[in-house]
Amino acid sequence: MTPGDPATVRCENPRPPGLARRLAGLAVVFAVAAVTAGALAGFVAYVHFSRDLPEIDDVEAYHPPGVTRFWARDGRLVGEMTTERRIVVPLENMPRHLLEAFLAAEDQRFFEHGGVDVRGVLRAALANWRAGRVVEGASTITQQLCKTMVGSERSLTRKIREAILARRLESRLGKLDILFLYLNQIYLGHGAYGVEAAARLYFGKGVEALGLAEASMLAGLPPRPSTLNPVVDLSGSKARQRYVLDRMVAEGFITAQQADQAFTEPLAIHSATPDVFGAMAPDFVEHVRRTLQENYGGEALNREGFDVWLTVDLDFQQAAHGAVQLGLWRLAERQGYTGPLRRLDARAAAAYQAQAELLYAGLERLSPEREYLALVESVERRGARVRVGPRGADLPLAQMAFAAPYDEVTPVNDRRISDATRVLQPGDVVLVRGATPGTVRLSQEPRVQGALVSLEPRSGAVRAMIGGFDFDQSEYNRAFQGCRQPGSVFKPLVYSRALDMEYTLATPLSDTPVSVFDAANQLLWKPRNSTSEFLGDVLLFQALSRSMNIPAIKAIDYVGPDNAVSWARHLGITTPLYPDRSLVLGSSCVYPWDMAQVYAVFALRGQRARPAFVSRVTTRRGEILEDRTHVSDPWAPATARIDALLRTWNEPRERVMDERTAFLMQRALRGVVEAGTATEARSLGVPVAGKTGTTDAFDAWFMGFTESLVTGVWIGSDRNTRKLGGRESGGRTALPVWLQYMRAALRDTPQADFTESPPPGIVFAQIDAETGKLAAAGRPSLNLPFKEGTVPVEAAPAAGTFDRRDVDVVEGRF
C-alpha cells in the first residue's frame, strides 16, 4: 500500500476501548431520566395544583352563589340573604359600551390570547422592573374570572391554579361565554358581585340602562373594588373612570370628544346598600330565616338562592308596626320623660347641625309615625323652637306637657309640666315626631316593649308579627322568646277545662275572701279582685267577663292544678307551668305566640290551627321544597291552590276540644267585650271575642279574635325595672294597640257573627243572672247556651222574695 492510503493510517494514542460509548450512553440515560423526572414532576404538580378546580364544561354548569329572597304575600321583596349579592343577566342585556369599557380597561387582547397572555406578562414585567414597583398587571379577563373561583390569596400556588383553570376554560368555552361569566362573577365593591348588582347598587338602575359615564366607572372598579368605588372614594373613582375612557379611545371604541363628555357628565351615586331586609318586615323575615336555617342549614340558605314566599301581608304588617310603636310611645309618655339625648355647647351644636342638614337633606315633611333628631334652638315657658336638619319647627308646651321627669321607682303616671324651660335648654338634641304642619311633638325611645301576632285561623296564615319596638335596636323577638306572666288571659284555659267537665256558663262560683298560708315560705296569699270587692256567688259567665280572681281560683280548685297544666299543654302552651292555684291568675310565664294558638282553638271551635309563616319554598331551578299554600290565597298560582285543596281534604285539622265546649267559650269571650273588661273593643263595629290580662306590675295583654283574624298583643317591661303604672291594664294599655291594628287589617272586610250558628248539641235557655237557675219574671236574666242535658231545671225565686244569695253578698262584704 502506498503512503497516505487510509488503510495504512494508524492512531498513535488510541482511547481506551468503550469509554466514549459508555459516557455517551450515560449522558443519554441521564437526559432521558431528567426528561422523565421533569415530565413526572410536571404531571404530579399539575395533578396537585388541579385538585378541586371547578369543572365547567358549559355555561349551564355554572352555578354561582345565589341570593335567597323572601317575598311577601303580594309579591313584594321583603328580604335577601346571601354571601354574595349577585343578579345574573345575559350578555345580550348588557350595552355594547359596557363590554367595550371592560375589555379596554382589563384585557385588550382578550379575543387573541388563549387564557394567559404571555406578551402581556412580559410587557408588565418590563414596566414593573423599570418603575421599581408594581405599576401594571398582566391578568387576563379569563384569569380574573378564575381568580374568583380559586381564591384571591397572594401566592404562587394560586397563580398556578389560576393559569391551569384559565387554559381549561379557554379550551372548553367560547370567548363570549367567558365574558358572560366574568361580568356576572366579578366583585365590584359593597357586597355587589356582577355588573347588574353593581349597577343597581351604585346607580339605582339595571345594567341595560347604563350610559357610557356609568359603564366606564364600573369598568374602573375591578383592581380595588373595596377602597376605590364611588361610595368610598368618588375622586379616586373618577380618576379610574378617566383611565378607562382613555383606554377606550386608544382602542378605537369611542372618540376623544365622547370620552370628555362622559367624564364631565354628573352621576347620581347611591350612598348606601338598600336595606331590603330591615325596611318591611324584619321580625317576620328573621323568624323564618332561623327556621329555614334549622331545616336546610346556613350554607344552603346563603348560597343556594331559594325563593321563600311568606304569608305576611305587608299592609297588615305595617299597620301592626305603627300600632305597637304608637302604643309604646303613649305609655312611655304617661310614665315620664327620660331627658334629651345630648346637651351640646355652641361649637358642638354647630358641628352637629352641619351633619344633620346632610342627614335630612330633601326632607319634605315630618311624619307623626317616625322619629327625627332635632336640635333645640331656643326655649321659653310656653314651648321651644327646634331644627330638624334644614327645617325649623315649633315644639309647643301642649306637645311636651307629658315631660315630667321619668322616675324608675314611682308607679304614678300621667304627670304634667307647665314650664318648658324646666325640661329643655338650647343645644339639646332630642327626638321629635311630626304633629301639625310646622309643629312637632317631643318623643323618646320607650323604656317598655311590645309584641303582636296575628293569624287567620282557618288558613293558618300568619299575616303580621312584631317582636319589639325597633328591630334595629334589638332582634330579640318577644312574640316567640319573651316568656311573660299572662295575667287573666290565662283564665279561659282553666274555664274551658271546667266547661269540658261538668261546669256550665251558669254555674255559680263563690266570690268570697280566700287566704292561704304557705308554711314552708312563711307567706300569706290573699288574692283579691281588681275592684277589691266581693260579690258572693256569681255565674261563671259573669266571673269571666268581669275578670274576677276569686271565682277563677274556685274553678281551678274544681279542675285541679295538675289537670289544668295538662290541659294548657294540650291546647298549645309550651313553657313550664307551675301547678298551683295561682296558675289560673297567670302566675307562670307564657309566650305571646302560644297564647295566640290557644285563642285560635277557641276561634276554630276546638280545632287546632295549622299556623304557617311560609307558603312556598322553591330553589332557583324551580324545585319545590315546601308548599303550604292555602286554597283561599288569591296571590298563589292556580296549580298551587289546586294542590292545596287536595292536601287540605286529606289533612283535616286536629280536634283538641269538644266543639260544644269551644262554642261556650266563644260566647263567654264575647261577653267580655259586650259587658266586661274589654267593652272598648265594641268600637271595632264587628263581632269580637277576647280577654284582657294584667299582672300586678309589669305586663298588659289583650287576646282577641273576629270571624277571620286572631290577634294577640303584649305590652310590658323586659327587665321589670319600672312598673307600668297604677292605672295601666290590659284594657288601657294593650287593647288600644289591638284596636288600631284590627281597624286597619279588617278595613272593608265583612266579618260574620261566629256565634250565630251553634253546633249540634247546643241549646239556649233564659237564665236568672243572680242564681244561675231558670229565669223568673221580673228578675235580671241572661240568654246563655248549654250543652244538651245541662240546662238548669230549677227556677229562680220570683222577684221580691228572699234568697240565700242575699246573705252571701252581705257576708262577702265584711
Side-chain angles (χ1 to χ4, degrees), residues 387-436:
R387 184 160 292 275
V388 179
R391 296 177 62 91
D394 290 324
L395 175 55
L397 181 63
Q399 298 289 1
M400 58 178 295
F402 70 87
Y406 177 87
D407 186 342
E408 197 169 87
V409 177
T410 180
V412 178
N413 286 355
D414 298 305
R415 291 168 296 148
R416 316 294 283 176
I417 64 168
S418 58
D419 186 346
T421 62
R422 295 182 178 274
V423 179
L424 301 178
Q425 65 185 41
D428 284 351
V429 178
V430 298
L431 288 172
V432 298
R433 306 196 308 271
T436 60

Side-chain angles (χ1 to χ4, degrees), residues 299-548:
E299 182 71 12
L301 187 61
N302 284 298
R303 297 182 65 87
E304 289 304 313
F306 297 151
D307 281 306
V308 183
W309 297 88
L310 307 177
T311 60
V312 65
D313 186 303
L314 284 187
D315 293 334
F316 286 27
Q317 181 72 15
Q318 291 168 3
H321 181 259
V324 170
Q325 284 209 324
L326 184 58
L328 295 180
W329 275 328
R330 286 173 173 168
L331 176 57
E333 289 182 0
R334 295 196 293 268
Q335 291 185 333
Y337 186 53
T338 55
L341 301 176
R342 293 283 178 84
R343 284 200 154 140
L344 306 177
D345 57 28
R347 182 176 180 180
Y352 162 83
Q353 181 58 28
Q355 293 298 316
E357 291 188 3
L358 293 175
L359 175 65
Y360 291 121
L363 183 65
E364 296 182 358
R365 61 181 290 271
L366 300 179
S367 169
E369 298 177 355
R370 282 191 55 196
E371 289 182 317
Y372 306 88
L373 293 168
L375 179 67
V376 178
E377 294 183 313
S378 61
V379 186
E380 58 181 20
R381 188 182 69 82
R382 301 183 63 82
R385 181 71 179 173
V386 302
R387 184 160 292 275
V388 179
R391 296 177 62 91
D394 290 324
L395 175 55
L397 181 63
Q399 298 289 1
M400 58 178 295
F402 70 87
Y406 177 87
D407 186 342
E408 197 169 87
V409 177
T410 180
V412 178
N413 286 355
D414 298 305
R415 291 168 296 148
R416 316 294 283 176
I417 64 168
S418 58
D419 186 346
T421 62
R422 295 182 178 274
V423 179
L424 301 178
Q425 65 185 41
D428 284 351
V429 178
V430 298
L431 288 172
V432 298
R433 306 196 308 271
T436 60
T439 69
V440 293
R441 183 174 183 84
L442 188 64
S443 190
Q444 62 183 337
E445 295 295 333
R447 297 278 183 105
V448 287
Q449 283 290 344
L452 182 150
V453 290
S454 183
L455 72 152
E456 294 176 352
R458 287 190 180 85
S459 69
V462 181
R463 296 306 185 200
M465 189 263 288
I466 303 294
F469 175 76
D470 188 341
F471 183 83
D472 290 335
Q473 290 180 354
S474 170
E475 296 183 16
Y476 180 60
N477 190 331
R478 292 152 188 87
F480 283 87
Q481 299 170 294
C483 194
R484 304 297 307 182
Q485 289 183 324
S488 294
V489 295
F490 197 89
K491 289 175 182 174
L493 282 74
V494 176
Y495 280 126
S496 66
R497 183 55 180 153
L499 292 171
D500 208 48
M501 296 166 68
E502 294 183 355
Y503 271 16
T504 72
L505 295 181
T507 298
L509 299 174
S510 175
D511 182 34
T512 54
V514 173
S515 296
V516 179
F517 181 69
D518 183 351
N521 297 303
Q522 294 293 298
L523 295 175
L524 180 64
W525 184 50
K526 295 181 65 175
R528 58 186 178 85
N529 297 316
S530 60
T531 61
S532 299
E533 295 180 344
F534 298 98
L535 301 180
D537 284 351
V538 294
L539 306 190
L540 186 153
F541 179 84
Q542 296 164 324
L544 178 57
S545 65
R546 300 176 189 175
S547 198
M548 301 172 70

Side-chain angles (χ1 to χ4, degrees), residues 19 59 71 106 115-117 131 136 154 265 320 323 445 448-449 500 530 550 560 624 644 653 689 725 738 765:
L19 179 61
V59 173
W71 306 93
E106 296 300 316
V116 178
D117 188 358
E136 185 176 334
R154 293 178 178 272
E265 180 180 324
E445 295 295 333
V448 287
Q449 283 290 344
D500 208 48
S530 60
I550 307 304
I624 298 175
R653 292 191 191 94
W738 187 92

Side-chain angles (χ1 to χ4, degrees), residues 219-298:
L221 299 181
R224 291 165 55 195
S226 297
T227 58
L228 195 63
N229 63 66
V231 172
V232 174
D233 183 359
L234 182 58
S235 62
S237 295
K238 289 293 291 182
R240 281 290 301 171
Q241 181 194 35
R242 179 79 265 181
Y243 166 77
V244 173
L245 291 168
D246 290 344
R247 288 295 315 139
M248 294 181 74
V249 173
E251 293 297 318
F253 293 140
I254 59 174
T255 66
Q257 181 180 2
Q258 289 174 312
D260 292 340
Q261 182 178 354
F263 183 72
T264 58
E265 180 180 324
L267 297 176
I269 305 296
H270 288 206
S271 60
T273 303
D275 182 16
V276 176
F277 178 80
M280 299 283 195
D283 294 300
F284 205 108
V285 174
E286 173 60 12
H287 176 74
V288 172
R289 183 200 67 80
R290 291 177 180 175
T291 303
L292 293 179
Q293 184 166 308
E294 291 176 1
N295 294 340
Y296 303 106

Side-chain angles (χ1 to χ4, degrees), residues 72-75 309 615-616 627-642 644:
R73 181 190 185 196
D74 61 1
W309 297 88
S615 59
R616 298 191 310 283
D627 191 352
R628 291 290 309 278
T629 303
H630 194 267
V631 65
S632 65
D633 186 354
W635 301 98
T639 54
R641 295 171 66 185
I642 294 173

Side-chain angles (χ1 to χ4, degrees), residues 646-659:
L646 297 175
R647 184 175 60 252
T648 303
W649 179 264
N650 294 323
E651 298 177 6
R653 292 191 191 94
E654 177 190 3
R655 177 160 295 283
V656 294
M657 183 186 296
D658 186 293
E659 185 178 16

